[in-house]
Amino acid sequence: MIYFDNSATTKVTPEVLKVYEKVSQRFFGNPSSLHYLGTQAHELLESARAQVAQILHVKPTEIYFTSSGTEGDNWLIKGTAMEKMRFGKHIITTQIEHPAVAHSMDQLEHLGFEITRLSVDKTGQISIDELKQAIRPDTILATFIAVNNEMGAIQPLAKISEVLAEYPTIHLMIDAVQAIGKIDLPLGNDQRIDMAVFSGHKFHAPRGVGIVYLKEGKQVAPLLSGGGQEKGQRSSTENLPGIVATSRALRLLTKDEMKKRQHLAQLTQKLREGLKNLPYVQFFSTDKGAPHITCLGIQGIRGEVLVHALEAEEIYVSTTSACSSRAGRDSSTLLAMGIVHEEAETAIRISFSEYNTMEEVAQFLQAFKAIYRQLTRIYEK
Amino acid sequence: MINMTASIYLDYAATTPMDISVIEKMTDTMRNHYGNASSIHQYGRNSKKLLEHARKTVAEYINALPEEIIFTSGGTESDNTAILMGAHARSDRGRHIITTAVEHEAVLKPLKRLEAEGFEVTYLPVGITGELDFEHFKEAVRQDTILVSIMSVNNEVGTIFPIEKIGAFLSERDILFHTDAVQAFGPLKIDVKKAKIDLLSASAHKIYGPKGVGFLYKRKNIAIPSFMLGGNQERKQRAGTENLPAIVGFEQAVCHMKANRAQFNQHAVNLREQLIYELNHQAINFQINGNLSQQVPHIINLYFPNKLAEQLLIQLDLKQIAVSAGSACTAGSIKPSHVLQSMYGDQSDRLMHSIRVSMGAFTTEKDIKDFVKVLKEIV
C-alpha cells in the first residue's frame, strides 16, 4: 500500500497518538474549570500554546486553537469583515484559494462586500503589479493561499509583504494549511503578515484541531461565541487531547525541517524525472512549487480513471483536492491558470509526506508506467 | 482507568472522562482508517462508511433520520449555527426571537449579536423553582416571532424544560424551534419527532465521548444557510474535513449511553439521595436550589447560607474535590450565576453561596461520603 494523498489528510503518527491517548485519560478536566483538574488541563493547554508559538516564532497570546483549517479561514475572513466594515468593504484575494476561503468570499460578496480575485499565471503565481493596482483606500483585507492545495504553487510572500508594508491598515492573511513545514513562513512581530491559518491533520496530528495566528493588536470579531474561551475569540470547550497532540505533531514536523524538505524535494524530483519521457504526461505543477505536491495528467484520460487504476495497484492519490473530489468539479486552480477544461479534467494530485520513501516512488513509477502504456495504447499508430 | 487517586470528581456537567471503549475506538480509527472521507479512493470510501454508520447510530438515538444529523466541532458551534443561521433564514418573516434567561452562553452570545443586528429577543425568566411557566411562554409568542430557542435541561441547576409541550405549540405556528440539548442528550430520552423539534444541539464530551465533536439535528425540509463555508462535507451543510476519529468516538459514547442509560440514571438517583441524606445526617446547613422533582438526577445545585461559594470551592479544591459554581465556561472568576439570578432575583443571598455538584458513571458512594465529610469540616 502506498499512500500519496497527504494533502488530503495524513496518518496520525504513533507518538502523537500516544499523546492523545494519555491526555484523554489523565487530563480530562475542562480547562475552564477552576478546580485542580481544570487548572491542570489549563496549564497543559497553555504549555501547548507556548510550544506552538515558539515553533512559529510568535507570542503565545497570538495563537488560537480552532476545530479546523476551514474554521480558521471562515473566522479570520468574516471576522475581519465584521470588524472593519465601517472602514471599507473591499477585499483582495486570488482565484486559486481553497473553498473555505473562496466560499467565505462569495458570502461576503452577497452581503455587499467587493472582492477582487487576482488572476494567476501558468505557474499559479499572482502578479505583484496586479496586486498593487488592486489596492484601494477601502481595502480592509488581503488574503493569499501560501501553497496552493491542488498543484503546489507558492505565492511570493516576501514581495506581497513588501507591497503591503505601505498599507498597514489592511489585514494581511495567509492560508498556510499546505505550507507549514514545507516553505519558509515569514511570521512574527517584525513581519508584515498579520494572520495565518493552519490545520493539524495535514501534518500527522489528529483531525479536529486547527491553529490560527493573529498578530497582537489586530482586531477580528469572533465566529463562535459563547463561554468565552480563547480570550473570547473562540468559544467552545477546548479539545485538549487534540490540541496537545497537535503541538507534538508540529514539533515533530519542524524537527530537522530542512532535511525533510530536501527529502520531499528529492521524492518529487524522482517522480518528475521518471515521468518526463512519457509523451502524453502533462505536468500542471512546475518544479518551483512546494516540495510535496505534484499535479499531472495523462492526455485524454480523466483523472478519476487514473486514480482508480492506481488504486487497483494499492496506490492512493487523488483528483485535485479531496473537498471537491466528490462533487466531481474540475480543478478551479488549473482553470484559473489558463488550462483548458479538457486538460484540467485529466489532473491527479500526488502529495508526499516526510514518511514516504524513494522506494515507494520507484514502485509508483513502475505501476504508473504500466497503467500509462495500457491507457495510451489507443494513441499508438 | 483515570488517575483520580485520592481525588473526587463531581463536575460531570462541565465535562466527563472518556470511556475507555471510546478511546479504543478512536485510536483504532486513527491507526487504521485515516482516509479523508471525501476522497474517492478506497481509504476515503472506508472512512465514509464509518462516518455514515456513526450518523445512523446517533440519528436513531433521538429518532431522527441520518440525513438530519450534521456533525460539528461541539455544542457551541451547533448552538451558534442554529441561532445565527436560523434567524437569518427567517428574517424576511419577522425579527422576534424567544429564549429563556437561563440559557448557556453559547445561545445567549449569538442572540446578543442578533440584537445588535436589529433582531428583538424576549428572555423569559424562570420561576423560583427554576421552571418555565408555559402560559407565560405562550403569551410571549407574537406574529413576528421566527425562532424559539429553549434548552432541554439547564446546565447549572438541572431543570428539565417542557420541550414536548413547546414543540407541539410551535409546530402549529411555523416558528423554528431550537433546543440546546447539551445536558439532556444522553441521560434523557429525546424523540425529536414526538417533541416536534426543528433544531437540536448536542455534544459528545458530556457523555463520556471526546471533546471537539458535537452535532446539530436539523429537521428535514428545513433550510438554513451553512455556517462554516468551504468544502462540500456534510451535504454542504458544514464545511471542514470530517473529524472521523472523534465522530466514531461519539458513536461509541452514544452506544455506551444507550446500553447503560437506565443504570446510569438509577445510579445518579441513588447518589443524589445519599448526598441529601448525608448532608442532613451531618447537620450541615444547606438548601437545594430548584425543584428536584423537575431536575435530572445527576445535577444538584446546593445553597450553603454560611459559606461563600468562592471560599468553598478553594477549600474543596485543596482537598482535591472538584465541583463548580455555575458553569465551567464562565471562566476565570466567579460571577454570580445568571441562572440563580433569574430564579431568586438579583439580591438573593443564594447567588454567592451556591455550588453545582454533578455526578456520573464513575462516582461512588464513598466519593459522596468523603465529600460530605469534608463539607462538614469547612461549612
Side-chain angles (χ1 to χ4, degrees), chain B residues 131-204:
Chain B
E131 292 163 89
L132 187 71
D133 181 344
F134 186 62
E135 292 305 313
H136 191 167
F137 157 74
K138 284 200 290 192
E139 284 161 23
V141 177
R142 308 189 320 211
Q143 279 293 324
D144 61 341
T145 305
I146 51 164
L147 170 68
V148 169
S149 179
I150 292 178
M151 66 199 328
S152 299
V153 168
N154 179 267
N155 55 314
E156 293 188 25
V157 174
T159 317
I160 302 167
F161 287 108
I163 293 309
E164 289 189 11
K165 264 163 90 178
I166 296 167
F169 180 78
L170 292 175
S171 67
E172 292 165 10
R173 283 167 180 78
D174 193 30
I175 296 170
L176 269 186
F177 178 33
H178 167 248
T179 184
D180 171 358
V182 167
Q183 291 293 345
F185 179 76
L188 288 194
K189 174 95 195 112
I190 298 172
D191 183 330
V192 289
K193 293 286 171 290
K194 202 168 140 212
K196 303 210 182 314
I197 295 164
D198 295 322
L199 300 158
L200 175 142
S201 308
S203 166

Side-chain angles (χ1 to χ4, degrees), chain B residues 278-290:
Chain B
E278 304 267 356
L279 286 167
N280 282 320
H281 187 69
Q282 297 282 353
I284 292 172
N285 185 9
F286 82 101
Q287 286 173 42
I288 293 161
N289 292 321

Side-chain angles (χ1 to χ4, degrees), chain A residues 149-345:
Chain A
N149 58 311
E150 296 184 32
M151 48 66 73
I154 302 169
Q155 294 310 322
L157 298 179
K159 283 186 196 151
I160 291 169
S161 295
E162 217 172 281
V163 171
L164 280 152
E166 291 169 43
Y167 306 92
T169 60
I170 299 175
H171 277 23
L172 174 54
M173 162 179 166
I174 57 168
D175 174 346
V177 169
Q178 296 291 346
I180 181 85
K182 311 303 194 306
I183 64 165
D184 290 338
L185 289 173
L187 299 182
N189 231 342
D190 51 341
Q191 299 293 335
R192 180 60 187 88
I193 292 169
D194 298 314
M195 318 188 278
V197 174
F198 308 93
S199 167
H201 78 97
K202 309 288 190 191
F203 54 85
H204 303 281
R207 256 161 266 176
V209 180
I211 299 169
V212 156
Y213 160 66
L214 174 60
K215 197 189 267 171
E216 210 165 42
K218 294 290 163 185
Q219 301 298 319
V220 174
L223 183 71
L224 291 180
S225 47
Q229 291 90 348
E230 300 291 291
K231 292 183 283 155
Q233 291 282 27
R234 199 268 172 182
S235 293
S236 199
T237 297
E238 301 89 340
N239 176 3
L240 188 68
I243 288 169
V244 178
T246 301
S247 76
R248 174 67 63 93
L250 184 63
R251 202 172 85 199
L252 291 175
L253 173 77
T254 49
K255 192 177 141 204
D256 300 325
E257 189 176 335
M258 288 306 155
K259 243 163 82 186
K260 286 174 187 162
R261 281 196 215 169
Q262 210 174 16
H263 172 63
L264 291 171
Q266 280 166 354
L267 296 177
T268 298
Q269 197 191 357
K270 185 176 170 81
L271 177 73
R272 291 183 77 97
E273 288 287 317
L275 300 177
K276 74 174 183 196
N277 292 328
L278 303 178
Y280 300 109
V281 166
Q282 182 179 11
F283 285 96
F284 300 113
S285 28
T286 67
D287 51 7
K288 304 273 185 302
H292 63 304
I293 299 177
T294 302
C295 185
L296 57 84
I298 300 175
Q299 279 169 37
I301 306 298
R302 288 176 57 86
E304 216 169 305
V305 173
L306 193 47
V307 166
H308 290 309
L310 285 165
E311 186 182 346
E313 306 297 318
E314 292 194 41
I315 295 170
Y316 301 96
V317 301
S318 72
T319 54
T320 63
S321 83
C323 305
S324 53
S325 289
R326 276 187 188 279
R329 281 191 336 179
D330 290 347
S331 153
S332 55
T333 301
L334 299 189
L335 296 179
M337 285 161 56
I339 289 157
V340 296
H341 171 81
E342 290 71 33
E343 288 176 2
E345 256 188 356

Side-chain angles (χ1 to χ4, degrees), chain A residues 1 3 5 7-12 17 20-21 24-37 39 67-68 70-71 74 78 98-101 103-105 107 201-202 206-209 222-229 234-241 304 307-308 311 314-319 322-327 329, chain B residues 1-4 7-9 11 14-18 20 23 26-27 30-31 33-45 48 73-74 76-77 80 84 104-106 109-110 113 205-206 210-212 226-233 238-245 313 317 320-324 328-334:
Chain A
M1 199 278 291
Y3 186 77
D5 196 12
S7 285
T9 193
T10 58
K11 185 177 179 176
V12 179
L17 187 52
Y20 185 92
E21 270 185 278
S24 302
Q25 296 186 31
R26 294 205 192 150
F27 301 95
F28 73 90
N30 187 322
S32 296
S33 293
L34 293 172
H35 49 66
Y36 62 99
L37 282 174
T39 313
S67 70
S68 65
T70 294
E71 187 191 327
N74 274 256
K78 297 178 204 173
H98 185 272
V101 170
H103 291 176
S104 295
M105 293 297 171
Q107 187 187 37
H201 78 97
K202 309 288 190 191
R207 256 161 266 176
V209 180
L223 183 71
L224 291 180
S225 47
Q229 291 90 348
R234 199 268 172 182
S235 293
S236 199
T237 297
E238 301 89 340
N239 176 3
L240 188 68
E304 216 169 305
V307 166
H308 290 309
E311 186 182 346
E314 292 194 41
I315 295 170
Y316 301 96
V317 301
S318 72
T319 54
C323 305
S324 53
S325 289
R326 276 187 188 279
R329 281 191 336 179
Chain B
M1 58 154 290
I2 319 138
N3 179 20
M4 296 205 315
S7 71
I8 301 173
Y9 187 71
D11 201 11
T15 191
T16 57
M18 270 198 255
I20 197 74
I23 299 178
M26 289 182 70
T27 49
M30 286 193 235
R31 266 187 214 109
H33 305 283
Y34 55 90
N36 186 321
S38 295
S39 296
I40 56 171
H41 51 62
Q42 181 200 319
Y43 269 77
R45 292 196 302 273
K48 182 89 179 152
S73 69
T76 298
E77 186 189 325
N80 275 240
L84 295 171
H104 188 272
E105 292 291 339
K109 288 269 172 65
R113 205 146 110 194
H205 79 97
K206 310 282 189 190
K211 294 180 178 69
S226 167
F227 187 54
M228 293 284 169
L229 302 177
N232 291 328
Q233 296 91 347
R238 197 267 180 183
T241 297
E242 303 89 340
N243 186 354
L244 188 70
L313 286 192
D317 190 39
Q320 300 229 346
I321 297 173
V323 299
S324 80
C329 299
T330 326
S333 65
I334 300 177

Side-chain angles (χ1 to χ4, degrees), chain B residues 338-358:
Chain B
H338 68 292
V339 179
L340 297 180
Q341 223 161 346
S342 183
M343 289 165 66
Y344 298 105
D346 293 348
Q347 300 306 316
S348 171
D349 189 52
R350 292 181 190 246
L351 268 48
M352 301 310 280
H353 293 87
S354 297
I355 61 169
R356 174 184 70 184
V357 177
S358 49

Side-chain angles (χ1 to χ4, degrees), chain A residues 87-159:
Chain A
F87 302 115
K89 297 183 117 183
H90 179 240
I91 296 172
I92 299 170
T93 184
T94 77
Q95 291 177 6
I96 59 160
E97 296 297 311
H98 185 272
V101 170
H103 291 176
S104 295
M105 293 297 171
D106 294 347
Q107 187 187 37
L108 289 176
E109 207 164 35
H110 283 298
L111 293 172
F113 287 79
E114 246 185 284
I115 316 291
T116 301
R117 297 173 181 84
L118 302 175
S119 65
V120 295
D121 61 17
K122 267 188 286 188
T123 71
Q125 281 200 325
I126 62 154
S127 138
I128 290 294
D129 281 337
E130 201 185 328
L131 168 63
K132 282 181 187 164
Q133 281 158 22
I135 296 172
R136 308 191 324 208
D138 60 341
T139 306
I140 52 171
L141 168 68
T143 183
F144 303 90
I145 186 162
V147 166
N148 176 267
N149 58 311
E150 296 184 32
M151 48 66 73
I154 302 169
Q155 294 310 322
L157 298 179
K159 283 186 196 151

